[in-house]
Amino acid sequence: MSLKFKLLSFIFFATLMCFGQDKLPENPRVGLVLSGGGAKGLAHIGVLKVMDSLGVRIDYIGGTSMGAAVGGLYASGYTAKQLDSIFKEIDFDILLGDKVPRPSKTFQERKNFEKYGISLPIENFKIQLPSSISRGQNLFNLFTRLTLDVSSISDFNSLPIPFYCMATDMETGSSVILDKGNLAEAILISNTLPTLFQPVAYNGKLLMDGGISNNYPIEHLLTKDLDFIIGVSVEDNLLSKDQIKSISDIFTQINNFRSIDDLNKKIDSTDLFIKPDIENFSIISFKKGSEIIEKGEASTLPFLNQLKTIAKTQNYKREPKKKKSLDTLNFKKIRILGNTKYTDSYVFGKLRFRRNDKVSFDDFNTGVNNLLATNNFDSFRYKFTPISKNTYNLTGYINESRNTKLLKLGIHYDQLLKSSVLLNFTKKQLLLKNDVLSLDFILGDNSRLNFDYYIDKGFYWSIGFNFNYTGFKYDIDPSFFEESHTVISDNIVPINIQDFKASFFVETLINREISFKIGTTYNNLEIERANSIFSDNSENDLNKIENSNFVSLNTQLKYDTLDNIFFPTSGGLFQSNADLYLSASEYNNYSQFLSLKVHAAKALSINDSISILSGFEGGFRVGDDNVSTLNFGLGGYSRNKINNYSTLFGYDFFSLSGNSYFKAYFNIDYEVVKRHHLNFITNFSNIGDSIFSSDEWLDLSSFYGYSLGYGLETMFGPIEVKYHWSPDSKFNGVFVNLGYWF
């Protein structure tokens, strides 16, 4: 925008204002219209801050999209200064995304979430693309929380400032005025940007962002008894030919043809028109919100005299909104509507609160997250109806997911199992409403297979079946499987390992964070030298290290509140496993033995960038020691659980073994910029035969190593590069991991 144009615009609007002021009555009624524009709409807050400081009273507000968000909250009683503080504290990455906190997911959902990079619904044997990136639940939760004190008001004309916002009917393309109902839902609907948020079913219509059909909704204001209308537009200007460089630029330009033409027709109906200079910002520039708000303030400065004149006749001072305590929400009645596949008890079990329960709003949001973490519901909208102080009737509206069949994809590389592509088919409600069947086909250097069937009964006893096959080849010292072993490098040969497990188990939740599981497992384990020196079939058994069938009883107690399994910043982990091996084929003098293992860890944040993870793990056997192939093993870096093998930096895979071990580790992580991590890990261990029979197990200087690495969070999982070494073993190397582990 040229300086000449800006000057002429200023003269024009100043003249217009002076002319308009002659007609203003005493104590004029002022209307305000706020356009949409994504992040650029934060400039509205800057404009309102100036008006509040001058004492300008707004008597009616109309808005679209971000204009609806700012205008609706302002109409509910917030000052512009309060809105400034609210929006500066928001993490827009979380708000606009669909991220459910990890602790809110069930243990089964966590396992699935941490394996797959892409999930696509299947309908009529055809893969469907998702309708949106986000369900908008986090946005709805925020608006509900901020408007809780006016939740009893269903007619927006009865708000502290009368208000309306716009939506678009996706069937007809026509504008829809939202001036009644649930204020939080109305604001959400007006902000449902195409592709980012899914359309909202509302009063028999499918609605989306109001900016599609009417981005400057002044028409409704003109029907009200107002003396003066102020308009603020944050729409893009048309691009020059030199600025049109991509497909996105072309679509933006085509859309702006209509909206700018529409705006130009409506400016004449606006008594004071403000257009902040925000051309250098985009609709997603939320991280630059403070700068955008400042631009809004600056855009209002040329009109200070006119605004002061209005304020002087109104004699008004806007008081800050009193914040309502959300520590105790008491639900007198709860109604759940829209659930046909899932019972009220199932919904309440996921929400974890019932009638007459007292919860905080944070606990309430956690319950909503728990419900959505099942992926059985597209959305959960709700309305609070006040009964008395902090006591409400709650009406919940569930939108059940129609998708029961999913195709999931993942990619991975690590140095043990090599390159892998994961293809998963998931079917929900195969036999029961609350069951899930999952089948993994893992193709690559080492093909694998995993089958899961799980009947989720929440806090009751859930039932699960699992079949898993893992096969791979690695250069290993054969004595690793035959006896207690410590790093021998002159006897390494290719070894084939094939591991098949079939398990049946029952599981119950003691609470959301603690699960107890008991079951039985059949395990076929084959280990053999890959490059046999024996060609005679009669002597092939000499190449077999293990070829046995094991049957065991298993129990597991698990506590897990880590916020991120790969880069944790808070929470804790405790897991104990007990495996009683009842029988083993190919062992003439076999006697039963018990294998016990425990792992505990704690994560904490030092500041916004630095976090620490410390923990320990250990295990030992009780009973027969003849089955050395099921000993504990240490070395390498892998999150895939293969029997009793565990990570130890500073050593190669399959370097250390014994019937008992203890390991401690310490990890410090520095998030340089968002999703980019530098980390340093140190680990110490003692492993061997019966190390707990004396105090020697406390000597953790037996085996130790370090790792210095870089990690990047991506949609397909973490990318990790770790250089590791050990002064003890004189070993050093680089571990590379790409994608989720599976």
Side-chain angles (χ1 to χ4, degrees):
M1 187 181 296
S2 68
L3 180 62
K4 183 178 179 181
F5 179 80
K6 290 181 179 179
L7 182 60
L8 289 174
S9 297
F10 170 74
I11 294 173
F12 172 76
F13 288 116
T15 304
L16 181 65
M17 184 64 196
C18 291
F19 179 77
Q21 281 181 256
D22 295 335
K23 300 181 180 180
L24 285 179
E26 190 73 17
N27 193 19
R29 286 175 49 80
V30 177
L32 177 67
V33 57
L34 303 175
S35 81
K40 297 187 293 182
L42 295 174
H44 296 318
I45 297 175
V47 174
L48 288 170
K49 285 176 70 175
V50 175
M51 292 185 185
D52 279 357
S53 69
L54 298 175
V56 176
R57 187 191 70 239
I58 303 298
D59 299 286
Y60 221 115
I61 301 177
T64 291
S65 196
M66 183 58 80
V70 174
L73 294 177
Y74 190 81
S76 75
Y78 290 99
T79 65
K81 188 176 181 179
Q82 287 177 312
L83 293 180
D84 190 357
S85 299
I86 289 170
F87 280 91
K88 284 180 179 178
E89 292 175 359
I90 292 174
D91 187 333
F92 283 94
D93 287 340
I94 295 176
L95 183 67
L96 301 179
D98 226 6
K99 185 177 180 180
V100 177
R102 184 175 181 270
S104 293
K105 298 181 175 73
T106 66
F107 286 93
Q108 196 72 10
E109 285 291 337
R110 293 177 201 179
K111 185 175 72 172
N112 291 335
F113 179 79
E114 291 156 3
K115 286 173 61 178
Y116 311 112
I118 296 177
S119 182
L120 300 172
I122 301 175
E123 189 173 344
N124 297 325
F125 300 100
K126 296 180 180 179
I127 297 174
Q128 307 292 315
L129 292 177
S131 61
S132 63
I133 299 174
S134 171
R135 292 175 286 198
Q137 188 67 48
N138 290 337
L139 197 61
F140 177 78
N141 293 347
L142 174 67
F143 291 143
T144 299
R145 182 171 192 159
L146 294 174
T147 60
L148 185 61
D149 63 322
V150 294
S151 59
S152 62
I153 298 175
S154 57
D155 185 348
F156 301 166
N157 286 311
S158 300
L159 291 169
I161 301 175
F163 169 77
Y164 67 90
C165 59
M166 306 305 298
T168 301
D169 189 327
M170 294 305 294
E171 187 175 15
T172 65
S174 59
S175 293
V176 178
I177 296 175
L178 302 177
D179 58 1
K180 292 181 175 63
N182 183 346
L183 178 61
E185 188 169 25
I187 296 173
L188 171 71
I189 292 172
S190 192
N191 279 271
T192 51
L193 292 170
T195 69
L196 178 57
F197 298 116
Q198 64 184 14
V200 179
Y202 186 80
N203 290 342
K205 298 180 179 180
L206 193 65
L207 304 181
M208 285 206 75
D209 191 302
I212 300 172
S213 57
N214 191 346
N215 204 41
Y216 189 77
I218 195 174
E219 300 90 341
H220 199 53
L221 277 184
L222 297 174
T223 66
K224 305 301 176 182
D225 185 20
L226 299 170
D227 302 302
F228 197 84
I229 295 178
I230 301 172
V232 186
S233 173
V234 293
E235 289 191 50
D236 289 320
N237 293 316
L238 289 174
L239 301 174
S240 68
K241 62 181 181 181
D242 296 330
Q243 293 175 308
I244 302 174
K245 300 177 180 179
S246 67
I247 295 177
S248 174
D249 294 335
I250 294 174
F251 280 114
T252 299
Q253 187 82 337
I254 292 173
N255 181 71
N256 287 346
F257 288 150
R258 179 200 59 78
S259 62
I260 292 177
D261 181 63
D262 184 58
L263 174 64
N264 289 334
K265 294 176 182 178
K266 296 176 180 179
I267 290 177
D268 290 340
S269 302
T270 310
D271 297 298
L272 194 157
F273 181 73
I274 301 173
K275 188 170 179 57
D277 183 12
I278 48 177
E279 291 184 356
N280 295 328
F281 303 93
S282 72
I283 62 172
I284 58 173
S285 299
F286 291 102
K287 293 181 179 180
K288 298 180 179 179
S290 296
E291 298 177 48
I292 296 174
I293 292 173
E294 291 175 0
K295 289 288 186 180
E297 293 182 63
S299 69
T300 315
L301 297 181
F303 308 99
L304 286 181
N305 290 334
Q306 296 94 321
L307 294 172
K308 286 179 181 178
T309 301
I310 295 174
K312 186 177 180 180
T313 64
Q314 290 181 321
N315 192 25
Y316 172 77
K317 182 181 180 180
R318 188 168 181 83
E319 297 294 334
K321 186 176 187 176
K322 294 181 180 179
K323 294 184 178 180
K324 188 176 182 65
S325 173
L326 301 175
D327 292 337
T328 54
L329 299 174
N330 184 27
F331 297 121
K332 188 69 174 178
K333 295 181 180 179
I334 300 179
R335 287 199 307 159
I336 303 298
L337 305 176
N339 53 316
T340 58
K341 300 177 183 177
Y342 300 93
T343 63
D344 284 359
S345 58
Y346 177 87
V347 175
F348 284 128
K350 299 302 179 183
L351 291 173
R352 291 181 62 194
F353 57 79
R354 298 179 180 272
R355 300 171 181 88
N356 296 316
D357 282 352
K358 293 183 178 180
V359 298
S360 69
F361 202 93
D362 287 339
D363 291 336
F364 177 83
N365 276 350
T366 298
V368 174
N369 286 332
N370 294 342
L371 183 70
L372 295 180
T374 65
N375 286 322
N376 293 325
F377 309 96
D378 287 334
S379 64
F380 180 64
R381 305 291 186 250
Y382 48 87
K383 181 176 177 62
F384 296 103
T385 303
I387 304 299
S388 60
K389 183 179 179 181
N390 293 334
T391 301
Y392 302 87
N393 287 337
L394 171 66
T395 305
Y397 306 89
I398 282 179
N399 182 19
E400 295 177 330
S401 176
R402 295 181 301 173
N403 300 317
T404 63
K405 296 184 285 293
L406 298 167
L407 176 66
K408 301 180 181 181
L409 307 171
I411 56 174
H412 180 79
Y413 171 83
D414 69 83
Q415 281 140 303
L416 182 62
L417 298 177
K418 307 301 182 182
S419 301
S420 305
V421 175
L422 170 61
L423 302 178
N424 169 272
F425 173 75
T426 296
K427 176 68 175 79
K428 298 181 179 182
Q429 302 173 16
L430 177 68
L431 303 175
L432 304 169
K433 289 183 177 181
N434 54 337
D435 70 358
V436 180
L437 179 146
S438 177
L439 183 61
D440 290 335
F441 297 95
I442 302 169
L443 310 174
D445 294 314
N446 296 285
S447 297
R448 290 168 283 151
L449 182 68
N450 186 65
F451 170 87
D452 278 298
Y453 179 74
Y454 192 76
I455 304 172
D456 186 358
K457 294 187 176 184
F459 291 96
Y460 299 99
W461 287 98
S462 300
I463 301 171
F465 303 89
N466 173 262
F467 303 92
N468 175 272
Y469 169 78
T470 301
F472 63 95
K473 181 170 69 175
Y474 200 78
D475 292 345
I476 307 170
D477 184 344
S479 62
F480 176 90
F481 303 101
E482 297 170 357
E483 58 190 21
S484 179
H485 173 88
T486 59
V487 190
I488 299 175
S489 59
D490 59 354
N491 190 32
I492 290 181
V493 297
I495 298 291
N496 281 329
I497 298 177
Q498 297 185 69
D499 189 40
F500 172 80
K501 289 186 175 71
S503 301
F504 167 80
F505 62 89
V506 293
E507 181 180 27
T508 187
L509 298 178
I510 299 174
N511 57 41
R512 193 69 189 181
E513 294 79 27
I514 303 176
S515 74
F516 175 74
K517 182 190 297 183
I518 184 170
T520 183
T521 298
Y522 164 82
N523 180 198
N524 173 255
L525 180 61
E526 294 187 25
I527 304 173
E528 64 179 2
R529 295 172 175 84
N531 298 329
S532 172
I533 61 173
F534 303 103
S535 59
D536 192 327
N537 290 334
S538 64
E539 297 183 358
N540 277 345
D541 287 345
L542 295 175
N543 298 305
K544 295 285 187 181
I545 299 173
E546 180 67 89
N547 185 14
S548 296
N549 303 313
F550 301 94
V551 177
S552 60
L553 292 177
N554 326 105
T555 64
Q556 182 189 82
L557 180 67
K558 188 171 185 179
Y559 165 85
D560 185 0
T561 60
L562 294 176
D563 63 334
N564 187 310
I565 194 64
F566 303 107
F567 306 99
T569 61
S570 64
L573 172 71
F574 178 85
Q575 181 173 324
S576 65
N577 293 79
D579 301 288
L580 176 61
Y581 288 87
L582 303 175
S583 66
S585 66
E586 310 302 323
Y587 285 86
N588 295 325
N589 298 315
Y590 176 81
S591 60
Q592 298 176 0
F593 67 93
L594 179 67
S595 178
L596 299 168
K597 188 175 180 180
V598 65
H599 181 197
K602 174 65 179 176
L604 57 92
S605 296
I606 304 301
N607 54 39
D608 291 339
S609 300
I610 300 175
S611 58
I612 292 173
L613 176 69
S614 59
F616 70 87
E617 60 182 84
F620 63 94
R621 288 169 52 169
V622 179
D624 185 30
D625 285 336
N626 291 333
V627 188
S628 57
T629 53
L630 294 179
N631 274 352
F632 301 100
L634 295 176
Y637 173 53
S638 177
R639 292 182 179 269
N640 288 318
K641 300 300 181 182
I642 303 172
N643 292 323
N644 291 320
Y645 310 143
S646 186
T647 293
L648 189 67
F649 293 105
Y651 299 83
D652 198 4
F653 295 98
F654 305 98
S655 292
L656 307 170
S657 70
N659 65 16
S660 55
Y661 84 104
F662 184 83
K663 182 183 79 172
Y665 58 89
F666 180 85
N667 179 3
I668 182 167
D669 184 276
Y670 174 51
E671 190 171 16
V672 185
V673 295
K674 198 170 184 66
R675 299 187 181 90
H676 293 262
H677 301 258
L678 295 177
N679 49 68
F680 174 77
I681 303 171
T682 178
N683 51 204
F684 306 87
S685 180
N686 195 342
I687 186 169
D689 286 340
S690 304
I691 66 170
F692 296 107
S693 60
S694 68
D695 292 339
E696 292 183 1
W697 69 274
L698 293 171
D699 182 13
L700 295 181
S701 61
S702 300
F703 308 100
Y704 60 96
Y706 310 96
S707 168
L708 183 64
Y710 163 80
L712 172 64
E713 300 177 70
T714 76
M715 65 176 294
F716 289 99
I719 297 174
E720 298 176 283
V721 180
K722 298 180 183 293
Y723 173 75
H724 69 117
W725 73 98
S726 172
D728 168 65
S729 67
K730 311 300 181 185
F731 180 89
N732 67 85
V734 177
F735 288 135
V736 178
N737 163 62
L738 306 176
Y740 289 120
W741 295 83
F742 47 77

